[in-house]
C-alpha cells in the first residue's frame, strides 16, 4: 500500500515527483499505515540525539555494507534488515538525513539495488526539519518485524564497476567531487580524512559538477529549471545519454544519481561506487589531472 | 608495552564491557559531557586549531598548566555528536597527564576501545587525527 503523492508544486516539475516529500507532507503523513520513516546520516550518533518520532535508523557503514567483502550486503541480509526495521516490501519508505540528504540518497540508492519500489527522500532532510522546529524525540519506537522477501540485489541497471567505466569511454561521466579533488591537487575532499588514494586527478573526459551544486542553502534540491541549467547546460548532458557518476566512495555521487534519475529523468544513470578510492589506486587505468576534462581514451571491452 | 594511563585504561574498559549498541550510547554520553570552552578560548577563537582530517568542524587547543599538567580543549557542533564524543574521550582521558605521558599514548588507542564495529573504522580515523593533532601541538609547545 503506497502513501499518497505529495502534490507540492515544486515537485511536479521533476521527472518523478513521487520520489520526494516535503516536511509539511511528512508531518501530516508520518503516522500513516504502511509508511516507514528512515533516518540515515553521516554522523552515526545523530539519530540518538533526536529523530523524527517513529523513525528508524539505518547506517550505511554498519547496516548496508558487508562487514568482510568490500561490497553491499546480499539479499538475505537486506531482508533481515528490513524486517528488523518494520519495513514491508510494499511499504512507502521516506528517508531523511544530515548533509543535504547525501547519506539518505545513498541509502535510497541501495534500497533501489534491491528493487524496493516506493522509496522517497524528505526534501531538505534533517536540516530543514530542525530549522522548522518540528517534533523530535529520543524515544525509539518498538518495531514489529515484517516478513520481507529475500530479493537478489540487482546491480546492473544502476551500479557501475571499474570495467564498466573502462568500457564506457566516449559516454558522459560526471565527477561530483570538489574542484581540488578533480584537478588532483588533493585526493580527499577538503576537511575529510585521507582515504588512501595513491594518485590524484579524475577519470579522463569526466565533467566536474560538485554534488552540492544540486542543493539549495536550506538543503532542499534546487528547482527543475536550476538543475536543468547545471546538468543539461553546464555539464552538457542530453536526453538518452548513458551516464556514470562517481565521487570518492560512491556516497556523494548517489545524491547526483538521484538528481539525474528522479528529478531530471535520465533513464540510464549508474553510480560507480568504487569511485576514486578504487580508480586512484588501480593499476594501469588512465587518469587526467588539472581542471580540463581531457579526452576520452578508447573504450576497453 | 607501557601501561596506558589509568584514565584512558578505564575508558577502554568501560567501552569494552558493553554490548555494541550500548557502546554508541556511551559515546553519546561522552559527546554530551564535552565541556564548554574556557572563556579565554571563547574570546580567542584564533587560538584554536581546526582538525582538518575530521569530517565535522572540530577545533582543539592543548594547554600545559603551571604544574606541567596537560589539558585538551575542544569544540564541535551539536549536530556532530560523534566528533564531540571522540573529542570528549580524549579531553577526559588525557586530562592532567604529563607531556611525556601524553606523547607516549599509543597512536592506535582509538582503535583499541571497541568502537570499530559500532562506529566503523573509517569514522574512527577522525579520532586518530585528533590525537595526532594534539600530540603535534604539544610537541610544538615543548619545542617553543
Amino acid at each position: 500500500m503506497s502513501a499518497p503523492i505529495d502534490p507540492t508544486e515544486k515537485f511536479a516539475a521533476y521527472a518523478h515527483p513521487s520520489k520526494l516529500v516535503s516536511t509539511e507532507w511528512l508531518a501530516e503523513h508520518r503516522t500513516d499505515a504502511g509508511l516507514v520513516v528512515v533516518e540515515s546520516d553521516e554522523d552515526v550518533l545523530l539519530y540518538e540525539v533526536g529523530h523524527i518520532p517513529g523513525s528508524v535508523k539505518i547506517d550505511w557503514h554498519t547496516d548496508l555494507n558487508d562487514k568482510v567483502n568490500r561490497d553491499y550486503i546480499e539479499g538475505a541480509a537486506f531482508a533481515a534488515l528490513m524486517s528488523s526495521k518494520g519495513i514491508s516490501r510494499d511499504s512507502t519508505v521516506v528517508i531523511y538525513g544530515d548533509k543535504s540528504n547525501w547519506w539518505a540518497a545513498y541509502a535510497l540508492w541501495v534500497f533501489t539495488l534491491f528493487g524496493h519500489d516506493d522509496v522517497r527522500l524528505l526534501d531538505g532532510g534533517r536540516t530543514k526539519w530542525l530549522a522548522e522546529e518540528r517534533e523530535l524525540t529520543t524515544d525509539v519506537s518498538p518495531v514489529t518485524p515484517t516478513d520481507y522477501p529475500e530479493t537478489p540485489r540487482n546491480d546492473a541497471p544502476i551500479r557501475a564497476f571499474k570495467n564498466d567505466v573502462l568500457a564506457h569511454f566516449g559516454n558522459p561521466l560526471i565527477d561530483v567531487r570538489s574542484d581540488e579533488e578533480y584537478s588532483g591537487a588533493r585526493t580527499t575532499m577538503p576537511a575529510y580524512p585521507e582515504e588512501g588514494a595513491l594518485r590524484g586527478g579524475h577519470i579522463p573526459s569526466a565533467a566536474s559538477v560538485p554534488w552540492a551544486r544540486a542543493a539549495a542553502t536550506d538543503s532542499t534540491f534546487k528547482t527543475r529549471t536550476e538543475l536543468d541549467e547545471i546538468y543539461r547546460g553546464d555539464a552538457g548532458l542530453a536526453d538518452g545519454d548513458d551516464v556514470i557518476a562517481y565521487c570518492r566512495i560512491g556516497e556523494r555521487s548517489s545524491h547526483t544519481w538521484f538528481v539525474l534519475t528522479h528529478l531530471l529523468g535520465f533513464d540510464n544513470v549508474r553510480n560507480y561506487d568504487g569511485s576514486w578510492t578504487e580508480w586512484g589506486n588501480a593499476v594501469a587505468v588512465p587518469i587526467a589531472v588539472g581542471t580540463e576534462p581531457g579526452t576520452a581514451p578508447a573504450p576497453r571491452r | 608495552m607501557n601501561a596506558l594511563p589509568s584514565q584512558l585504561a578505564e575508558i577502554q574498559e568501560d567501552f569494552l564491557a558493553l554490548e555494541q549498541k550500548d557502546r554508541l550510547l556511551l559515546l553519546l554520553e561522552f559527546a554530551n559531557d564535552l565541556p564548554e570552552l574556557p572563556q579565554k578560548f571563547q574570546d580567542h577563537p584564533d587560538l584554536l586549531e581546526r582538525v582538518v582530517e575530521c569530517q565535522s568542524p572540530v577545533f582543539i587547543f592543548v594547554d600545559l598548566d603551571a604544574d606541567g599538567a596537560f589539558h585538551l580543549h575542544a569544540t564541535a557542533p551539536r549536530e556532530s555528536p560523534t566528533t564531540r564524543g571522540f573529542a570528549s574521550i580524549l579531553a577526559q582521558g588525557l586530562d592532567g597527564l604529563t607531556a611525556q605521558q601524553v606523547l607516549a599514548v599509543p597512536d592506535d588507542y582509538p582503535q583499541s576501545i571497541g568502537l570499530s564495529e559500532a562506529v566503523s573504522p573509517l569514522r574512527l580515523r577522525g579520532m586518530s587525527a585528533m590525537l595526532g593533532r594534539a600530540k603535534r601541538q604539544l610537541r610544538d609547545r615543548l619545542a617553543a
Side-chain angles (χ1 to χ4, degrees), chain A residues 187 194-201 276-283 287:
Chain A
T187 52
E194 176 56 57
E195 278 163 9
L198 290 173
R199 296 297 168 104
W276 200 257
T277 49
E278 178 178 52
W279 197 272
N281 286 317
V283 175
I287 289 175

Side-chain angles (χ1 to χ4, degrees), chain B residues 48-64:
Chain B
L48 294 162
E49 180 186 14
R50 178 163 182 169
V51 182
V52 295
E53 296 90 343
C54 264
Q55 299 199 348
S56 304
V58 54
F59 296 85
I60 63 166
F61 189 82
V62 308
D63 207 6
L64 286 175

Side-chain angles (χ1 to χ4, degrees), chain A residues 111-155:
Chain A
F111 272 66
T112 308
L113 289 174
F114 290 98
H116 192 97
D117 182 46
D118 190 0
V119 52
R120 316 178 187 184
L121 289 183
L122 172 66
D123 195 29
R126 183 180 169 95
T127 307
K128 190 156 189 280
W129 188 270
L130 262 67
E132 292 169 352
E133 297 182 349
R134 294 182 185 274
E135 198 180 346
L136 288 180
T137 182
T138 53
D139 297 341
V140 176
S141 303
V143 168
T144 308
T146 62
D147 189 16
Y148 198 93
E150 189 177 323
T151 314
R153 207 180 66 219
N154 185 13
D155 290 335

Side-chain angles (χ1 to χ4, degrees), chain A residues 266-289:
Chain A
F266 288 92
D267 292 329
N268 292 304
V269 185
R270 284 174 291 169
N271 179 23
Y272 169 40
D273 59 280
S275 277
W276 200 257
T277 49
E278 178 178 52
W279 197 272
N281 286 317
V283 175
V285 298
I287 289 175
V289 294

Side-chain angles (χ1 to χ4, degrees), chain A residues 42-43 59 61 126 191 194, chain B residues 52-54 79 82 123 125:
Chain A
E42 175 172 290
D43 194 302
D59 183 73
H61 278 293
R126 183 180 169 95
E194 176 56 57
Chain B
V52 295
E53 296 90 343
C54 264
E79 281 288 290
T82 301
R123 289 181 172 123
R125 289 187 191 186

Side-chain angles (χ1 to χ4, degrees), chain A residues 41-46 48-49 57 59-62 67 98-99 126 130 190-196 249, chain B residues 24-25 27-28 31 50-56 78-83 85 117-120 122-123 125-126:
Chain A
D41 296 315
E42 175 172 290
D43 194 302
V44 68
L45 274 178
L46 264 184
E48 281 74 12
V49 168
K57 170 185 177 178
D59 183 73
W60 79 272
H61 278 293
T62 57
K67 285 185 174 34
D98 60 353
K99 309 260 162 132
R126 183 180 169 95
L130 262 67
Y192 270 65
E194 176 56 57
E195 278 163 9
I249 50 175
Chain B
L24 266 190
L25 296 180
L27 183 61
L28 183 59
R50 178 163 182 169
V51 182
V52 295
E53 296 90 343
C54 264
Q55 299 199 348
S56 304
R78 289 268 159 206
E79 281 288 290
S80 302
T82 301
T83 301
E117 191 177 321
V119 170
S120 89
L122 202 62
R123 289 181 172 123
R125 289 187 191 186

